[in-house]
Amino acid sequence: MSSSLAGVQDNTIEDPTTRPTLVLGQNDFASVTDKVCRIAERGGATRAWKIAFTASVATTLMLFGMIVYLISTGVGVWGNNNPVGWAWPIVNFVFWVGIGHAGTLISAILYLFRQRWRTSINRFAEAMTIFAVICALVFPGIHVGRPWLAWWLFPLPYPQNMWPNFRSPLLWDVFAVGTYFTVSLLFWYVGLIPDIATIRDRATTKIRRVLYGFFALGWRGSHRHWHRYEVAYMILAALATPLVLSVHSVVSFDFATSQLPGWHTTIFPPYFVAGAIFSGFAMVLTLMIPCRTIFGMQDLVTMRHLENMCRILLATGMMVGYAYSIEFFIAWYSGNPYEGFTFLNRAFGPYAWAYWIMVSCNVVAPQFFWFKKIRTTPWMMVVVAIFVNIGMWFERFVITVTSLSRDFLPSSWAYFKPTTIDILTFTGSFGLFFSLFLLFCRFLPVVAISEVKAVMPQAHPHHHDDHQAHAEEARA
Amino acid sequence: MSETRTFGIVAEYGDVDSVMAAARRIRDAGYRRWDVHTPFPVHGMDDAMGVRPTILPWITLGAGLSGLGLSILLQWWTNAHDYAFLISGKPLFSLPANIPVAFESTILFAAVTTFLLVFVLNGLPRFYHPLFRMAKFKKATDDRFFVAIEARDEKFDPGATRKLLESTGAASVEICEEPLDGQVLPGWVKFVGVLGITLAMIPLVVAYRARNAKTDTPRLHLVGDMDFQPKYKTQAASPLFADGRAMRPQVDGTIARGELRENQHLELGTVDGNFADGFPVAVTRELMERGRNRFDIYCSVCHGYGGQGDGPVALRAKELGEGAFVAPTDLTDDYVKKQPAGQIYATIRNGIRTMPSYAAQIPVADRWAIVLYLRALQRHSDASIADVPLEKREEIK
């Protein structure tokens, strides 16, 4: 069991003849358990956590205050007005839903592709997904005008005998985002169960034993259970893969099925999906790099993991850049003067500043990842990732606001200005996101313990000849 | 300490290889009720234990297909059948528009079913298990591997089974006991459970009653924002003005836009308060053609192209047997023929009986054009061959 892993500590070197190690340092199963569980078992919260959590909760309370003010007063407290009726609320919705795509992508798509490096980061990314989708759902919920009637969105029988319109992309959104949230939550929870059981078995206080015991559902690591569990996990991954691609496609239908120049384009679904993965990975990097240092998980979330994510960021960044240029090409090639105007107006009109922020953050910033130095220096990655986060918010802003502000009737053209309430509501959503995230870091295993163990060399039978010999000897 | 019986024999291993080898030996020895407990799924263990493939994927497939079918049924029933929802003339039921919801429902049904199946097929949640009584077993979720052979197995024999496990290189072999009376739920847990279920039923019962009971009191309206709007409606009272009315009369000495009526004959069709005969505009061929054009657009729908009250609306009402329908007037009837032109003009302008005013749709000049054309239709309705010029008579015979 005491197999030594003291090999090369730099696992970013590409050598096709050997499998790269995904867990560094002198780690065995017990030390992995210990490293991850200790984070959730600390007696009192650390000072840094308390400060961060207090700030996040205060920001969340501000969000709730803004929502109460909005509902009691009306949507007029926002900058939304003709012709820009879909302004920040939709921008924020698409921004958060986009971020929520990385988690399921890492969990599901990388799982199906047997990308074993996903195991150290998937739990983290899935949690981020769920919290981002919660933040996303807030915005359409409060944007409907009379939120207490938001249940009309669901096909429920009620005395007026009316049903939702199933041919509307806004209703498709309800189903797509609702399904996405549900499936992501189930996927996350299924993955958590064996690890919650680990914490339960290490629990020293009764309250921890009861609470973790409740959520572990009596998991006892039976292989007959593992057998079905693995099949189920793979099926969930296989279901979540098309789902994750469909969700942002459906979100893009909100725009693409309308007839507004700049929205009515067939490139929207793939373009939105690429952008979602791009923004999601950027957010994972932004959160993971500080956490990895704070929680001392450098052995589990290794430089190779971070470098792989940087590569994905570079690839998806170029996809997004390609989409930007193709939009221009099609606007010219279609010969449609309105389409052409919309795009020239985006780049050189009153919102040019937003457009060029978007291009420089989303297309130029990831290009730095061509340099290995930047791909392997954590603080540089964080800087690039934060730029990408900013750029992706502006992408949604450019799409939503520039097209609407120049609609078919030039007399109604207007320049959109957000109000303070708009800004505070969006800021408040970050508070909600970070509050949930900090709670997750404090009470749940931030790395999928059982999955990491399964990709360690010791987990594979016959990895050591001397080991085999030892077993034979013992048997004899 | 209550009485116990043997649950089974548990062997502990320190690494994957030895537990795998042990599993093969136990499988080959023909045991059935036994299990391996590992902190992570060990690949190759299915074969080593002889675990057969699970039925789970097939149930998931069935659930997904049910989701697909049910969601298409739901969309058809709600939008095309129960409440036909016609939007921009699109078909009531068209598969392409239903694909997104059908797809999402397929995934949702399949995923939720898979999630539930992991627990149902595995017999979870099961918060109590005899193995949890062993202190060592806590390591099963950390770094140790266990093999447990249950006493219920037909081949179980306290001595032989123990010997077999010892021979597999186990780090330790122990007997696991379970209490005879089993573990029972504490009373308060049951109480809270029953109370919770009962309380959860209350809203359902209230909703069911509300939907099926009749009452004179208006519905409870929690948010009445649309019912009470801060504005004055027609004929409403207002404390703002001395006369207490919200509507304001016309200011003395002013004329509203478009209400000057300088030429009464032209605007109202009257002269000195009586309907005027004759036209206040020049009667020309162009006016006649304009009249035909406007008549065909605005009037023929009810009155028919010949003005005889047989337009498509009238025919359709007759076909449906609409008893309450007032048939359009036959404009070639003597009753209309005798009316002065000004009266026909006034009818178009003001409406009559069930016919609404057309003042908003038809401007003044066009109204007179229609009156002129109508005069021609009336003339035509009782024309004889003598009215046709000699050279044209051959053509219409």
Side-chain angles (χ1 to χ4, degrees):
Chain A
M1 198 65 258
S2 61
S3 70
S4 150
L5 279 172
V8 200
Q9 286 295 301
D10 180 4
N11 62 351
T12 62
I13 296 162
E14 285 300 335
D15 176 8
T17 58
T18 53
R19 269 179 194 276
T21 37
L22 294 170
V23 178
L24 300 179
Q26 299 280 350
N27 277 302
D28 56 17
F29 297 142
S31 73
V32 169
T33 309
D34 196 52
K35 267 207 167 87
V36 180
C37 292
R38 243 195 345 235
I39 301 166
E41 284 169 351
R42 258 180 252 181
T46 59
R47 205 178 145 79
W49 189 89
K50 277 181 189 156
I51 294 171
F53 189 67
T54 312
S56 303
V57 169
T59 320
T60 311
L61 290 177
M62 180 181 77
L63 171 71
F64 293 159
M66 290 300 131
I67 293 174
V68 169
Y69 177 56
L70 169 87
I71 293 175
S72 60
T73 315
V75 179
V77 303
W78 284 335
N80 303 25
N81 208 335
N82 276 335
V84 186
W86 271 14
W88 278 37
I90 298 301
V91 174
N92 300 341
F93 164 70
V94 182
F95 171 75
W96 280 119
V97 164
I99 286 176
H101 275 60
T104 311
L105 183 104
I106 291 172
S107 314
I109 298 183
L110 298 187
Y111 182 80
L112 293 185
F113 285 147
R114 299 272 186 267
Q115 294 294 310
R116 298 175 338 138
W117 58 274
R118 74 180 259 290
T119 51
S120 300
I121 54 170
N122 70 333
R123 171 70 41 73
F124 204 85
E126 285 166 31
M128 189 200 74
T129 287
I130 289 160
F131 306 144
V133 175
I134 290 174
C135 290
L137 286 170
V138 167
F139 286 99
I142 58 179
H143 190 207
V144 292
R146 291 193 286 162
W148 50 94
L149 297 177
W151 56 277
W152 285 5
L153 289 165
F154 301 98
L156 299 168
Y158 74 109
Q160 274 154 286
N161 279 333
M162 291 272 286
W163 297 101
N165 172 17
F166 279 101
R167 282 156 288 174
S168 159
L170 297 176
L171 185 90
W172 302 345
D173 245 11
V174 174
F175 275 80
V177 180
T179 301
Y180 186 58
F181 180 71
T182 314
V183 174
S184 299
L185 192 67
L186 297 182
F187 199 42
W188 187 55
Y189 183 54
V190 166
L192 267 171
I193 286 171
D195 294 351
I196 296 181
T198 303
I199 300 192
R200 170 200 66 196
D201 288 344
R202 288 165 56 96
T204 43
T205 63
K206 181 158 185 172
I207 183 144
R208 290 182 75 89
R209 201 158 56 234
V210 169
L211 279 178
Y212 287 106
F214 178 78
F215 286 106
L217 301 175
W219 182 263
R220 54 182 188 275
S222 150
H223 187 76
R224 292 178 198 277
H225 292 181
W226 276 121
H227 169 68
R228 296 189 191 98
Y229 176 93
E230 285 222 287
V231 171
Y233 197 80
M234 196 172 71
I235 289 176
L236 284 176
L239 291 171
T241 299
L243 178 66
V244 73
L245 298 180
S246 82
V247 174
H248 228 54
S249 300
V250 169
V251 169
S252 81
F253 289 161
D254 292 346
F255 299 91
T257 58
S258 78
Q259 292 170 345
L260 204 63
W263 288 5
H264 191 62
T265 51
T266 47
I267 199 179
F268 260 31
Y271 162 29
F272 268 52
V273 170
I277 294 165
F278 184 52
S279 66
F281 269 85
M283 193 54 122
V284 174
L285 271 180
T286 315
L287 294 177
M288 175 145 278
I289 292 169
C291 285
R292 161 182 188 266
T293 315
I294 293 167
F295 299 136
M297 296 189 301
Q298 285 93 334
D299 287 352
L300 301 180
V301 182
T302 65
M303 201 48 86
R304 185 177 183 84
H305 293 93
L306 300 182
E307 201 197 350
N308 280 347
M309 284 197 278
C310 291
R311 286 178 180 173
I312 290 182
L313 218 53
L314 177 58
T316 47
M318 286 193 291
M319 287 182 209
V320 168
Y322 172 76
Y324 295 162
S325 49
I326 275 294
E327 277 193 315
F328 269 86
F329 170 74
I330 294 294
W332 166 76
Y333 188 66
S334 68
N336 181 332
Y338 305 103
E339 197 77 20
F341 165 77
T342 300
F343 283 93
L344 287 178
N345 182 55
R346 272 187 193 173
F348 305 109
Y351 293 101
W353 59 275
Y355 184 83
W356 295 107
I357 290 179
M358 168 187 102
V359 169
S360 39
C361 290
N362 291 351
V363 184
V364 180
Q367 301 305 320
F368 287 103
F369 284 145
W370 287 108
F371 304 103
K372 182 158 181 169
K373 171 80 186 152
I374 296 177
R375 286 205 307 271
T376 50
T377 311
W379 71 265
M380 292 185 189
M381 292 181 215
V382 176
V383 171
V384 174
I386 287 176
F387 272 117
V388 171
N389 286 325
I390 296 171
M392 284 311 290
W393 188 86
F394 273 97
E395 180 195 298
R396 280 62 175 254
F397 177 81
V398 166
I399 292 172
T400 309
V401 174
T402 60
S403 283
L404 280 173
S405 73
R406 295 288 178 270
D407 67 353
F408 295 106
L409 199 61
S411 64
S412 62
W413 289 2
Y415 187 82
F416 171 79
K417 277 201 194 78
T419 62
T420 317
I421 310 296
D422 272 313
I423 297 165
L424 292 180
T425 311
F426 179 51
T427 315
S429 67
F430 277 94
L432 177 61
F433 180 74
F434 282 110
S435 303
L436 294 168
F437 194 78
L438 286 165
L439 284 174
F440 160 73
C441 290
R442 174 82 180 77
F443 294 106
L444 288 172
V446 289
V447 168
I449 308 171
S450 64
E451 288 192 40
V452 168
K453 285 177 191 165
V455 299
M456 289 169 75
Q458 299 96 309
H460 301 288
H462 317 307
H463 77 286
H464 260 199
D465 282 339
D466 60 338
H467 222 91
Q468 182 67 10
H470 174 74
E472 295 287 350
E473 193 182 291
R475 204 174 295 145
Chain B
M1 192 88 194
S2 60
E3 268 191 272
T4 59
R5 65 163 172 243
T6 308
F7 166 74
I9 301 183
V10 179
E12 181 193 1
Y13 301 84
D15 63 72
V16 175
D17 292 313
S18 40
V19 74
M20 192 90 110
R24 285 203 191 91
R25 300 255 323 260
I26 295 157
R27 174 196 68 192
D28 294 341
Y31 285 95
R32 292 187 175 281
R33 307 198 74 98
W34 64 288
D35 210 337
V36 175
H37 297 268
T38 54
F40 55 87
V42 177
H43 288 198
M45 185 62 88
D46 290 347
D47 180 52
M49 283 178 70
V51 176
R52 278 176 309 183
T54 164
I55 190 179
L56 192 144
W58 294 104
I59 306 181
T60 298
L61 177 68
L65 292 177
S66 325
L68 179 70
L70 284 174
S71 70
I72 289 180
L73 195 67
L74 174 78
Q75 295 181 68
W76 167 80
W77 192 78
T78 54
N79 278 186
H81 182 75
D82 184 52
Y83 189 94
F85 215 152
L86 187 65
I87 290 156
S88 329
K90 290 171 193 158
L92 287 176
F93 180 67
S94 60
L95 218 42
N98 296 328
I99 286 175
V101 170
F103 174 80
E104 303 297 341
S105 307
T106 309
I107 300 278
L108 185 66
F109 273 60
V112 172
T113 308
T114 308
F115 174 78
L116 294 176
L117 280 178
V118 183
F119 303 110
V120 171
L121 296 180
N122 283 345
L124 296 176
R126 180 176 175 184
F127 294 107
Y128 167 73
H129 193 275
L131 287 171
F132 288 147
R133 293 163 58 87
M134 294 174 67
K136 269 185 184 169
F137 192 71
K138 286 202 184 307
K139 286 273 179 193
T141 55
D142 183 5
D143 64 341
R144 305 298 275 179
F145 305 82
F146 294 86
V147 170
I149 301 178
E150 291 182 33
R152 289 185 297 166
D153 194 293
E154 281 170 13
K155 296 199 68 166
F156 184 84
D157 174 80
T161 305
R162 189 181 181 107
K163 215 166 186 178
L164 172 71
L165 284 173
E166 275 166 353
S167 74
T168 57
S172 72
V173 177
E174 272 181 37
I175 292 174
C176 175
E177 300 285 326
E178 65 176 328
L180 271 179
D181 51 356
Q183 192 88 346
V184 287
L185 275 176
W188 66 268
V189 174
K190 281 183 190 163
F191 177 73
V192 169
V194 171
L195 191 72
I197 292 169
T198 317
L199 291 178
M201 300 297 275
I202 292 176
L204 290 176
V205 172
V206 170
Y208 181 81
R209 246 188 64 88
R211 289 205 62 162
N212 291 290
K214 285 196 169 67
T215 169
D216 293 336
T217 50
R219 266 191 310 167
L220 189 65
H221 224 149
L222 290 181
V223 188
D225 62 336
M226 289 290 203
D227 300 345
F228 309 105
Q229 299 175 8
K231 71 177 183 195
Y232 288 115
K233 291 191 174 172
T234 320
Q235 315 294 352
S238 162
L240 278 177
F241 301 104
D243 62 0
R245 291 192 286 182
M247 290 167 77
R248 304 316 303 147
Q250 194 163 345
V251 177
D252 285 340
T254 63
I255 294 170
R257 277 188 169 207
E259 304 220 329
L260 185 55
R261 317 255 184 270
E262 249 181 332
N263 181 345
Q264 293 225 331
H265 189 181
L266 179 72
E267 298 270 357
L268 305 175
T270 58
V271 171
D272 302 330
N274 299 313
F275 289 122
D277 215 347
F279 289 81
V281 291
V283 174
T284 61
R285 182 83 203 165
E286 286 73 42
L287 191 69
M288 182 67 86
E289 286 303 329
R290 176 72 181 167
R292 182 213 297 272
N293 172 276
R294 296 292 106 176
F295 184 89
D296 288 355
I297 290 173
Y298 291 109
C299 315
S300 68
V301 194
C302 290
H303 292 289
Y305 287 111
Q308 281 153 330
D310 55 353
V313 171
L315 295 179
R316 177 69 177 153
K318 205 171 153 191
E319 189 183 307
L320 293 174
E322 287 281 349
F325 184 72
V326 180
T329 308
D330 176 0
L331 300 175
T332 59
D333 194 80
D334 273 353
Y335 160 69
V336 186
K337 269 184 198 166
K338 281 184 195 142
Q339 291 178 359
Q343 187 176 358
I344 298 176
Y345 171 89
T347 304
I348 299 174
R349 180 175 181 271
N350 305 325
I352 189 168
R353 293 186 292 273
T354 51
M355 169 176 158
S357 159
Y358 275 75
Q361 295 97 314
I362 310 177
V364 172
D366 284 349
R367 292 176 214 158
W368 284 111
I370 290 171
V371 176
L372 179 63
Y373 179 64
L374 181 58
R375 280 291 187 237
L377 286 178
Q378 288 171 340
R379 179 86 180 77
H380 167 266
S381 70
D382 56 0
S384 68
I385 195 73
D387 295 314
V388 183
L390 281 171
E391 65 275 17
K392 296 268 183 186
R393 284 186 194 172
E394 266 322 293
E395 288 175 31
I396 57 169
K397 259 183 186 164

